[in-house]
Amino acid sequence: MNLAEPGADPGHADARLRPAEPPSARALLHDVALGPAPAPPRSDLRPCAHRPPRPLVRVLLCEDQEVFRLGLRTVFEAQPDIAVVAETADLAEVLAAADGPGSRVVVVRQSLVGSAALPVLRELCQRGIGVLVLAEANGGSRTSLMDVLQCGVRGFLPRRAAAQRLVEAVRALARQEPALDAAVTSQLVRQLTGEVPRPTAVARALDRLTERQREVAELVAQGLSNEEIAGRLFLSSATVKSHLTAVMRRLDVRTRTQLAILVNRDHAPAA
């Protein structure tokens, strides 16, 4: 029976039906000598593919200057393992935004951390949330620094720190590791070992007064009335009252007694 189709080339039909020839001895020897052909590379094999990806760190920004806040967001979101999930200019609002799973770090400007915000910092740290305080160039007194650290804060860097240093600090805090600037560490060591001199916020405030304002403040501390101060300094009572109002505003006091206490504390000898 002829299986070739009508009109087909008989030679072509025979070629289709002819069984495949066995490999020659030369081809077999070649395969034995060289081994089987290498398998094509797999597309799912990449360097360090066995390493698990870094867990995502959720960052909350507390910064009242828009330009600086945008800069922080740009720095952090350029990292594959960091995401900015909230922004605010009020630290009290961070508590509500900080709820959620995963590692969380709050980055806050130091000037936004007043005495009223210390309970908020304490609550954040008790929840296991890392806090990174960015210090101003003229950052707070050493007392405020101690108060912040006693709340459980373990991150303290200059506000103008390099971008990579900020990123490393956020990652460290997410791992529950401290991220303190070297200058902060040295300051703490000096304070805890008693090597810090006695300059206080009061002394700095008095130094900002004018010479005449300082004279008025010191005479108030001695118990003199406005009329007595006017006679001592050859001024009118209205001028003395004006100087006294400016002094109390700069020193943030409301009564003559509070002013007298501050001035006497300023002039007390260092312990």
Side-chain angles (χ1 to χ4, degrees):
M1 180 176 60
N2 186 4
L3 297 179
E5 298 178 359
D9 183 5
H12 180 68
D14 293 343
R16 287 190 292 108
L17 298 177
R18 186 181 304 118
E21 296 181 358
S24 64
R26 182 182 298 276
L28 291 175
L29 290 176
H30 181 272
D31 291 342
V32 171
L34 299 182
R42 292 175 55 185
S43 59
D44 61 341
L45 294 180
R46 296 181 177 87
C48 302
H50 62 282
R51 296 182 181 177
R54 286 178 173 174
L56 185 66
V57 179
R58 294 169 174 81
V59 172
L60 300 95
L61 301 179
C62 188
E63 168 64 52
D64 59 348
Q65 291 189 4
E66 183 180 7
V67 173
F68 202 85
R69 186 171 64 248
L70 291 175
L72 289 174
R73 172 183 279 275
T74 301
V75 168
F76 290 135
E77 292 201 332
Q79 311 304 316
D81 58 330
I82 298 178
V84 177
V85 297
E87 297 180 5
T88 179
D90 185 357
L91 190 60
E93 297 178 358
V94 172
L95 281 176
D99 292 332
S103 301
R104 291 153 294 164
V105 176
V106 174
V107 180
V108 56
R109 180 182 178 184
Q110 185 184 16
S111 62
L112 300 179
V113 182
S115 58
L118 295 181
V120 178
L121 290 182
R122 189 175 296 107
E123 175 68 19
L124 289 171
C125 295
Q126 289 175 352
R127 293 187 188 182
I129 299 173
V131 177
L132 175 60
V133 177
L134 300 183
E136 310 280 352
N138 57 346
S141 67
R142 59 187 179 91
T143 301
S144 65
L145 171 60
M146 283 299 298
D147 289 340
V148 166
L149 296 180
Q150 287 174 352
C151 289
V153 174
R154 293 297 176 266
F156 210 98
L157 292 180
R159 192 160 177 256
R160 300 295 180 180
Q164 187 58 35
R165 184 69 181 97
L166 294 174
V167 171
E168 293 171 354
V170 166
R171 288 173 177 160
L173 291 169
R175 298 190 302 266
Q176 302 296 316
E177 299 175 1
L180 297 177
D181 183 66
V184 174
T185 304
S186 300
Q187 181 179 352
L188 288 174
V189 170
R190 291 195 304 270
Q191 180 175 354
L192 295 175
T193 56
E195 297 177 4
V196 178
R198 200 193 59 89
T200 63
V202 177
R204 288 193 294 272
L206 291 180
D207 288 342
R208 289 197 298 268
L209 298 178
T210 65
E211 182 178 356
R212 182 64 78 184
Q213 289 172 347
R214 177 184 286 272
E215 291 175 344
V216 170
E218 291 176 345
L219 292 176
V220 169
Q222 295 175 20
L224 276 64
S225 65
N226 286 1
E227 292 74 15
E228 292 172 330
I229 295 174
R232 182 77 62 91
L233 300 179
F234 302 100
L235 300 172
S236 67
S237 297
T239 301
V240 171
K241 184 177 180 180
S242 177
H243 285 314
L244 183 57
T245 299
V247 168
M248 297 177 73
R249 183 175 60 251
R250 289 196 178 188
L251 299 184
D252 193 22
V253 296
R254 297 183 179 181
T255 66
R256 300 171 74 94
T257 301
Q258 291 177 338
L259 175 59
I261 292 173
L262 293 179
V263 172
N264 288 330
R265 185 183 302 170
D266 182 29
H267 290 302

